[in-house]
Every structure is written in C-alpha cells, then in structure tokens.
Amino acid sequence: MKKTERLDKVLGHSGFGSRREIKELVRLGQVSVNAKRIKDSGVQVNPATDEILVNGEAAVYREYVYLMLHKPPGVVSATEDKKERTVIDLLGSGFDHLELFPVGRLDKDTEGLLLLTNDGKLTHQLLSPRKHVPKTYYADVEGTVTEEDIAQFLRGIELDDGYVTLPAELTIILRGEPNLGILSQIQVTIHEGKFHQIKRMFLAVGKNVVYLKRLSMGSLKLDDDLPIGEYRELSTDEVEALRNHEL
Ligand code: URA
C-alpha cells in the first residue's frame, strides 16, 4: 500500500461521505490528524500511522472494498451509463468515491452473483483468460435439453463467430416438455467469459435461454439469504479464498 494518501480519499474510504461532504467537515473544523485541526482536505496523511478523528470518531481506513451483489434484472453491469440504471446506482451513498466497479459483466436481463470491488489486482486475476475461473449458472431453457447437449458442451461448442468454447459441465435439473409448455431447467459451469456466452452456447444447439442467474464465481457463492437487489460485504475468508485461487 502507498504510505500516504489525500485526507479526503482516506475519509471517503472510511465511510464519511462524498468528497464535497468531507471538504465541509474539514471546513467546519471537525477533522483532526494527530490531535491537530486540519483546514485542507487535500493534505497527505498516512492512514496506517496517523490518528485521524472526525468529531472524535476514529477513521478506519480500508483501501479495498468487496461487495457481493445479488443483481436484479434491468440494470447494466457498468459504472456509468447515459440511459440505463447501473449496478453502482444500487449502492448507498456510503460507497460513493470508493470507485467500485463490477468484476466482469452480466447481461442486463441476467440475475445473480456479481462481485463489486476497487481491487484491480484481484479483478485481473478473476478475469484473466489464463486462469479459467469457473462460473456456474442456473438457466431456464426453451425446448428439451438432452444427453447429447451435455456431451457437446463437454466437447466444446462452436459459437456463431467460429470460436469453440472450453469444455463446460452441463447438468439437467428438469427436462423440458415443449408440448406441455414445460421449460428445461439446467445448471452449467463455464471456465471463460465470452460475450453472452451461455445464451450463445444454447443457441448453437438450437435452444433459447429465457432466464439466467449466476450462482457462483470461483470459490464465491451467491448467498441464499441475500435478497435480489441487495448487497453485502464479503467476509475476510471469502476474500482470502478468492485471492488464494481456491477455485
Ligand atoms: N452468459 C450469458 O449469456 N449472459 C450472461 O449474463 C452471463 C453469461
């Protein structure tokens, strides 16, 4: 970690509000560093060794934040968008200025596990095509998913652009009966992350995904107790497991 940081950044990462709000706290004389009242929110401080107090409350600085979001449909996996609501818009104002971003993308209509963080190194590890981090999805699929589909997913599927996917593990939970209007229910694990990959894999075997939800990414599993649209911080064990490639 860099030794010194701007005071407003440190306070932003400690949950004391936006840069503007912090500037105001400083202006009002409510912030002290090593018992000295501070007048400039841009001053350099060392969060590891300096005692930073806001109205007597110690600022606990965290460089990195990791959130598990249960992504709802209808929001895009981006930090900003001119037209659409983004996953970042779902977060409370306490997360402003942490510069969180989604680790990879889920389609606008896809639900489920999305990791949000400001840890670029971990993000890079999780998204690196060389690491083959497994991602497991649940899907409802029109038509009857067959044993032959399972075998083809394992061999690799040629997508519409000619790319052949890495072996993917497909499990049938419920075999669909199109005549009776029953959808197939499946679980599938892929080891890469091509654009619209699951939907395109099923299209390649003549079937349409009508509902898609991500259940896990590497060692990280979507918390069953996390309501859709809600988020929670990862435990230190969850972060360590992701870091240590316990995939
Ligand atoms: N595959 C898809 O088709 N969509 C997603 O959102 C994720 C994987």
Side-chain angles (χ1 to χ4, degrees):
M1 200 211 301
K2 225 170 41 174
K3 274 205 163 61
T4 62
E5 296 281 3
R6 285 176 61 103
L7 176 64
D8 49 10
K9 181 169 178 198
V10 172
L11 291 177
H13 280 236
S14 310
F16 285 101
S18 67
R19 207 160 267 204
R20 193 166 45 78
E21 288 162 339
I22 288 161
K23 203 168 176 191
E24 186 62 7
L25 288 172
V26 170
R27 196 186 65 77
L28 294 171
Q30 294 177 356
V31 179
S32 68
V33 176
N34 300 328
K36 254 184 61 195
R37 216 179 282 273
I38 295 298
K39 286 278 173 259
D40 172 10
S41 60
V43 69
Q44 292 284 319
V45 293
N46 183 337
T49 54
D50 290 332
E51 188 192 39
I52 304 165
L53 301 179
V54 179
N55 280 325
E57 186 189 337
V60 181
Y61 177 70
R62 286 174 312 156
E63 188 172 20
Y64 297 126
V65 171
Y66 306 87
L67 299 180
M68 171 190 293
L69 171 69
H70 187 163
K71 180 190 173 298
V75 291
V76 295
S77 301
T79 50
E80 284 178 3
D81 194 282
K82 289 215 170 67
K83 293 192 297 255
E84 309 279 1
R85 224 150 68 96
T86 74
V87 288
I88 300 298
D89 294 333
L90 299 173
L91 307 180
S93 62
F95 294 96
D96 290 352
H97 297 276
L98 286 175
E99 290 159 359
L100 297 177
F101 47 81
V103 178
R105 282 168 188 270
L106 291 178
D107 296 338
K108 185 177 168 189
D109 61 348
T110 301
E111 301 178 8
L113 174 67
L114 190 63
L115 175 61
L116 306 174
T117 186
N118 49 4
D119 182 342
K121 189 166 162 221
L122 181 66
T123 301
H124 183 73
Q125 281 177 13
L126 290 170
L127 298 182
S128 163
R130 280 177 294 114
K131 300 272 193 227
H132 300 168
V133 173
K135 284 161 283 233
T136 299
Y137 295 83
Y138 167 88
D140 291 332
V141 181
E142 277 172 348
T144 309
V145 178
T146 62
E147 300 302 322
E148 178 48 29
D149 293 332
I150 293 178
Q152 252 193 277
F153 271 52
L154 260 187
R155 284 196 296 268
I157 297 272
E158 184 172 341
L159 299 180
D160 44 13
D161 57 2
Y163 176 79
V164 179
T165 59
L166 292 173
E169 296 86 47
L170 175 60
T171 319
I172 300 170
I173 301 168
L174 181 75
R175 209 176 289 273
E177 298 271 4
N179 297 340
L180 302 174
I182 299 173
L183 299 169
S184 292
Q185 297 179 3
I186 64 92
Q187 196 163 303
V188 60
T189 300
I190 56 174
H191 301 266
E192 57 203 327
K194 302 288 171 205
F195 186 59
H196 295 329
Q197 182 163 341
I198 306 284
K199 292 172 185 165
R200 288 164 71 208
M201 287 173 84
F202 276 100
L203 277 180
V205 295
K207 288 162 192 121
N208 201 18
V209 171
V210 294
Y211 172 80
L212 188 60
K213 175 178 181 177
R214 181 153 66 191
L215 305 175
S216 67
M217 181 180 204
S219 57
L220 189 64
K221 303 213 168 10
L222 179 65
D223 191 336
D224 287 336
D225 297 330
L226 191 63
I228 192 159
E230 304 268 310
Y231 56 90
R232 70 154 170 84
E233 294 208 27
L234 297 200
S235 67
T236 42
D237 283 352
E238 285 171 325
V239 175
E240 278 314 299
L242 281 175
R243 261 204 207 114
N244 296 332
H245 314 292
E246 289 170 22
L247 306 172

